[in-house]
């Protein structure tokens, strides 16, 4: 038993750890909850891996120990600071993970509105700030077996811990399922001892644990209460007077607690309220930092690709070892990693970077320059790639060399900079998607990279197999590594990780259906399939949906099904009829993409309408510096196939775009001339 002085010291130390960002809020809550009952923490703080993309001031792997050592732990972190000379910057690459609490049957439409409309917009907002957004919707997150064996409370409360401090509760006029509280649950979640004989619903227990238990720390908990006038058919299903009284008491407790709560009357209003309130929270916690210089802003975009790629990746140590063997033992200077589109090349290289920085980030003599083609509008230009490398070398080596602007001088400076590497330094250059560079000035010939390099310089590139670039590099005798398709064990682990992240579960039969399908050997296919299943909230229909999607024998066919689902979602609003088809055809024909404003002008919809539709489709679209484009070549093939875009239709679409931009250019030119005339008159 702790005495009061020890508990006070412990709380202060744990809060300091939380405020410094070295433990997550759910870990703070677990410890504070245990101390409230003057008991040792029933769950030790888990091992916290500090992401090198977030901070350069903490050791790579930390274990939070019991309270007598907490002060020493904080001191050791502070004294272990180092300034890396590599191109990672101290960016805010964090995660916003939201738990959704509500009764199920009467809230299907409300949850669907959040999943399909609010959360895609929040995801886009987060990504613009280097933050990963996800949600936990347990509508099919608990299997029948788990329910029958009394695991419901454990699963729900554990997921709330993992999502802290982000919590959304939706309350109607249905009280919900009342679970049994066992002694094992009380040992794990101490607060339950206050409610063990009160027969509370799982929804009320979630709201207590997610918001009401620590109201002073629940700034990011939001509660939405549906108007009593709702005509939902499930509202009063099997309701009894006792449950209705408990529901009234819960609403009264919320209204007097100080927690933020909002009233709504329909799913559309709820979706807008959630969007508005979560936007405020995200903007407050992750403001746009205007102090970054252009190099850091561009680097942040590359860092975001790494951070997104490591989320659901299952490490293949054979492939990581091959990269490491090339770097340490090979006499060759160049390695190309090839594979099918969507086979996981970006994930592999991102995870190697993550692993390397976790283990060797204090090596001041090792420089790593990485470049992900397609992560920004500038990243596709090989000259901009070289300019960014020259800026990186200036910062890393403390140089102040002026960067020339002409094409030939940039290439010459790039080659000279690589020669600056001496016996005392090592340089690794990584270019992901080198075959996707704009083919201006013969960029895809890769003649701007020398074949003869210093032995301390290594260059790694990734590219799709069977491309012209692959043939060129083979002729130049570059070392080649073929990435493997996903084997069953890796597929299983990827599915498990993803489902755990979003708080869902599949039955054994559903699991095996996905794992045994040949087409899920492709990482993009597998990711799209699981992500698409997430949008379907009715648990009883999941098996049918899996079978339907697996009828798609290729990624192209799966994209077709996803496009048809988007079309179906848009049909509820007559104004948006054929909106998916119109937008996709325009994006298909635009080589580098279109802005939302340009799409609005071409379709004659309002900018808000276009933004809404595009945000809902961001699973398959990318926004690169304001230009909306497809994220995968197979999606272009699916658009052409589904909408029957033959050569004649391509020509018509090209003419439409050409005329639009000619008129736009003439309008801009006339406007500039008028402004010049006005200036001359003045």
């Amino acid at each position: 038993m702790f005495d009061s002085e020890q508990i006070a010291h412990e709380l202060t130390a744990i809060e300091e750890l939380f405020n410094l960002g070295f433990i997550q809020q759910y870990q703070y809550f677990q410890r504070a909850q245990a101390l409230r009952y003057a008991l040792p923490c029933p769950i030790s703080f888990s091992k916290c891996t500090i992401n090198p993309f977030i901070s350069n001031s903490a050791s790579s792997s930390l274990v939070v120990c019991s309270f007598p050592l907490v002060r020493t732990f904080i001191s050791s972190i502070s004294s272990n600071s180092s300034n890396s000379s590599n191109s990672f910057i101290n960016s805010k690459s964090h995660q916003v993970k939201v738990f959704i609490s509500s009764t199920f049957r009467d809230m299907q439409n409300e949850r669907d509105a959040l999943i399909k409309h609010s959360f895609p917009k929040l995801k886009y907002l987060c990504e613009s700030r280097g933050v990963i957004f996800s949600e936990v919707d347990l509508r099919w997150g608990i299997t029948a077996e788990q329910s029958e064996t009394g695991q419901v409370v454990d699963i729900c409360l554990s997921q709330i811990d993992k999502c802290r401090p982000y919590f959304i509760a939706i309350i109607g006029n249905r009280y919900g399922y009342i679970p049994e509280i066992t002694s094992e649950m009380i040992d794990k979640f101490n607060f339950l001892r206050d409610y063990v004989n009160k027969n509370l619903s799982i929804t009320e227990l979630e709201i207590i644990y997610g918001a009401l238990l620590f109201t002073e720390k629940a700034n990011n908990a939001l509660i939405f209460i549906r108007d009593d006038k709702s005509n939902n058919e499930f509202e009063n299903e099997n309701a009894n007077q006792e449950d209705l009284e408990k529901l009234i008491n819960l609403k009264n407790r919320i209204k007097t607690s100080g927690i933020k709560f909002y009233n709504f009357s329909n799913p559309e209003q709820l979706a807008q309220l959630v969007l508005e309130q979560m936007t405020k929270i995200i903007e407050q916690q992750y403001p746009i930092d205007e102090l970054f210089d252009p190099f850091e802003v561009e680097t942040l975009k590359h860092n975001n690709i790494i951070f997104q790629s490591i989320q659901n990746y299952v490490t293949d140590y054979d492939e990581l070892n091959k990269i490491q063997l090339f770097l340490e033992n090979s006499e060759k200077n160049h390695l190309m990693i090839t594979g099918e589109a969507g086979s996981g090349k970006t994930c592999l290289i991102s995870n190697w970077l993550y692993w390397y920085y976790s283990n060797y980030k204090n090596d001041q003599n090792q420089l790593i320059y990485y470049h992900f083609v397609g992560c920004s509008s500038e990243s596709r230009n090989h000259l901009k790639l070289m300019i960014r490398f020259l800026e990186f070398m200036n910062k890393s080596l403390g140089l102040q060399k002026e960067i020339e602007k002409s094409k030939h001088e940039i290439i010459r400076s790039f080659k000279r900079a690589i020669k600056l590497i001496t016996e005392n330094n090592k340089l690794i250059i990584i270019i992901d998607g080198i075959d996707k560079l704009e083919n201006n000035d013969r960029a895809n010939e890769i003649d701007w990279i020398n074949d003869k390099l210093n032995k301390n310089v290594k260059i790694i590139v990734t590219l799709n197999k069977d491309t012209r670039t692959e043939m060129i590099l083979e002729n130049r005798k570059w070392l080649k590594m073929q990435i493997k398709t996903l084997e069953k064990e890796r597929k299983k682990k990827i599915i498990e990780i993803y489902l755990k992240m979003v708080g869902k579960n599949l039955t054994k039969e559903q699991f095996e259906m996905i794992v045994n399908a040949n087409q899920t050997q492709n990482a993009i296919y597998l990711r799209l399939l699981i992500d698409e299943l997430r949008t379907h909230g009715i648990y009883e229909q999941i098996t049918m949906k899996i079978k339907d999607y697996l009828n798609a024998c290729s990624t192209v066919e799966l994209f077709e099904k996803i496009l048809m689902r988007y079309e179906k979602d848009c049909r509820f609003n007559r104004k948006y009829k054929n909106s998916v088809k119109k937008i996709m055809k325009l994006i298909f024909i635009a080589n580098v993409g279109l802005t939302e404003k340009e799409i609005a002008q071409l379709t004659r919809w309002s900018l808000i309408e276009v933004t809404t539709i595009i945000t809902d489709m961001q699973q398959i679209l990318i926004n690169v510096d304001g230009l909306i484009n497809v994220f995968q070549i197979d999606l272009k093939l699916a658009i052409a196939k589904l909408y029957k875009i033959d050569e004649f239709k391509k020509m018509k679409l090209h003419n439409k775009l050409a005329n639009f931009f000619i008129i736009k250019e003439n309008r801009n030119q006339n406007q500039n001339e008028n402004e010049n005339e006005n200036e001359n008159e003045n």
Side-chain angles (χ1 to χ4, degrees), residues 258-308:
I259 296 288
K260 300 170 190 172
F261 75 92
Y262 307 86
N263 295 311
F264 73 97
S265 57
N266 55 60
E268 292 75 23
Q269 188 181 7
L270 171 68
Q272 187 60 33
L273 279 169
V274 169
L275 178 61
E276 289 171 0
Q277 298 309 316
M278 283 301 300
T279 296
K280 289 179 183 177
I281 289 171
I282 292 164
E283 288 179 341
Q284 183 178 7
Q285 290 204 259
Y286 302 102
I288 295 293
D289 192 339
E290 298 177 354
L291 300 178
F292 286 157
D293 65 28
F295 172 79
E296 289 178 329
V297 170
E298 183 68 13
T299 299
L300 178 58
K301 295 170 186 176
H302 294 264
N303 286 355
N304 285 345
I305 294 293
I306 298 171
F307 190 70
Q308 291 165 27

Side-chain angles (χ1 to χ4, degrees), residues 73-221:
F73 169 71
I74 296 173
S75 300
S76 68
I77 292 173
S78 303
S79 63
N80 196 19
S81 62
S82 63
N83 295 318
S84 172
S85 63
N86 292 300
S87 58
F88 283 111
I89 61 174
N90 190 15
S91 61
K92 283 193 171 183
S93 290
H94 297 298
Q95 185 174 19
V96 173
K97 190 173 185 179
V98 184
F99 184 91
I100 311 171
S101 173
S102 79
T103 48
F104 287 162
R105 298 188 67 185
D106 60 321
M107 291 291 179
Q108 294 284 5
N109 292 335
E110 281 78 2
R111 286 178 177 249
D112 284 345
L114 299 187
I115 296 289
K116 294 180 179 179
H117 302 296
S118 305
F119 292 162
K121 296 178 179 68
L122 293 172
K123 183 179 179 183
Y124 174 69
L125 174 68
C126 284
E127 287 179 353
S128 70
R129 286 162 162 74
V131 178
I132 302 299
F133 180 90
S134 63
E135 79 288 334
V136 172
D137 176 3
L138 289 176
R139 276 181 291 182
W140 49 277
I142 301 173
T143 64
E145 180 183 356
Q146 290 169 329
S147 181
E148 290 166 4
T149 54
Q151 300 178 51
V152 174
V153 175
D154 190 356
I155 291 170
C156 293
L157 299 186
S158 295
Q159 286 295 338
I160 290 172
D161 278 335
K162 291 174 182 176
C163 292
R164 288 194 194 278
Y166 306 103
F167 179 86
I168 292 174
I170 316 167
I171 304 173
N173 293 321
R174 190 167 182 265
Y175 188 61
Y177 165 70
I178 298 175
E180 179 187 358
I181 297 176
T182 65
S183 58
E184 289 82 4
M185 293 176 199
I186 295 172
D187 289 340
K188 187 171 183 179
F189 302 99
N190 302 144
F191 85 99
L192 290 174
R193 67 176 59 191
D194 291 345
Y195 303 98
V196 67
N197 295 317
K198 294 187 178 180
N199 293 323
L200 300 187
S201 70
I202 184 62
T203 306
E204 180 163 4
L205 291 174
E206 288 172 352
I207 293 170
I208 291 169
Y209 194 56
L212 299 177
L213 195 61
F214 294 95
T215 54
E216 71 280 4
K217 290 284 183 181
N219 295 330
N220 296 326

Side-chain angles (χ1 to χ4, degrees), residues 41 52 146 294 305 393 421 467 476 530 577 609 614 656:
C41 184
Q146 290 169 329
I305 294 293
M393 292 294 283
I421 300 302
T467 57
R476 290 167 60 177
I530 302 173
K577 188 178 180 182
E609 289 168 342
I614 287 172
K656 181 177 181 178

